[in-house]
Amino acid sequence: MTFTYRAVNYTIKGLTEILCRVDHEPLKRVPFHGPLIMVGNHINFLDAPVLYTRLQPRPITGFVKSETWNNHALGLLFDLWGAIPLRRGEADINAMRQALLALEAGDILALSPEGTRSGDGCLLRGHPGVVSLALRSGAPILPIVIYGSEKFKDNLSKLQRTDFHIVVGNHFYLDGNGRRTAGSVRQEITDEIMFQIAALLPSKYRGYYTDLHSATEKYLKFPKKSRSNLSYGTGEFDE
């Protein structure tokens, strides 16, 4: 790691610590070695800097919309972080190839199936790009959610710190069950993944995936001594 890399991460982590009360203890559940697809919700611009700087020195990358590089400062930051530019609205084969190479190298690939910021923290319907990556790489999927940061702007105007909550669930794998994973099947698998994310959130943030009782796990495989994240949605993390 270069001096610039360490200095930038230290500065960003310090600034976000001043502005937010970050509940970072759950991040200790993130495996320190091996390929991992980390999926979660996407609220606003705080998500990436808070999580990235607190997962260091674990190698981590993720998709960032290609237009971000139109901003010189942000382009430099995401180049420093090794982010993968993604052309939205099309099949970006080069971005997918880079993501698979990162997983082959044993890195974390962080992405939000929602594909955009929700703003209010309520889940939008997921897009199926994650399905192809998980099936082709064989990497485990780890759901991780945040909430509270949707209040950042209001709190900042009142000179108040924002509570930044993080919940890390149990990892699982995808199993296509020998079926072609095109069209409606890929969306069905995506919805199963999104329900695992929704279950980690307090009920008011579940949005499109509010009805946990309609969730299925046909294509999800949990390791032995693990459990579905849906069990969280019935108690500990519910509000």
Side-chain angles (χ1 to χ4, degrees), residues 17-113:
E17 199 67 37
I18 291 170
L19 296 171
C20 305
R21 281 185 290 267
V22 181
D23 178 20
H24 56 82
E25 282 297 306
L27 292 176
K28 292 180 179 179
R29 298 193 61 215
V30 177
F32 202 74
H33 300 285
L36 184 70
I37 300 175
M38 193 171 72
V39 296
N41 56 333
H42 187 16
I43 298 176
N44 57 32
F45 71 96
L46 276 178
D47 306 349
V50 168
L51 293 176
Y52 186 93
T53 56
R54 285 160 181 80
L55 283 168
Q56 293 303 297
R58 184 72 156 86
I60 179 170
T61 188
F63 295 121
V64 176
K65 60 183 180 181
S66 57
E67 308 94 272
T68 302
W69 274 260
N70 294 334
N71 181 304
H72 183 64
L74 287 178
L76 288 174
L77 175 62
F78 285 114
D79 279 341
L80 189 68
W81 282 353
I84 301 171
L86 177 69
R87 297 192 304 274
R88 297 190 298 178
E90 60 180 278
D92 192 336
I93 302 301
N94 185 55
M96 297 300 128
R97 186 180 298 115
Q98 289 184 63
L100 289 170
L101 287 174
L103 291 169
E104 286 178 15
D107 297 351
I108 292 177
L109 175 67
L111 57 86
S112 170

Side-chain angles (χ1 to χ4, degrees), residues 180-198:
R180 291 185 61 189
T181 55
S184 61
V185 175
R186 289 201 304 149
Q187 187 60 57
E188 184 181 356
I189 299 172
T190 302
D191 289 337
E192 289 192 346
I193 295 170
M194 291 299 295
F195 271 118
Q196 296 295 318
I197 294 171

Side-chain angles (χ1 to χ4, degrees), residues 207-224:
Y208 186 89
Y209 297 93
T210 295
D211 183 13
L212 297 185
H213 296 292
S214 66
T216 61
E217 297 179 343
K218 223 175 7 176
Y219 299 95
L220 310 186
K221 302 298 179 185
F222 288 85
K224 292 180 180 179

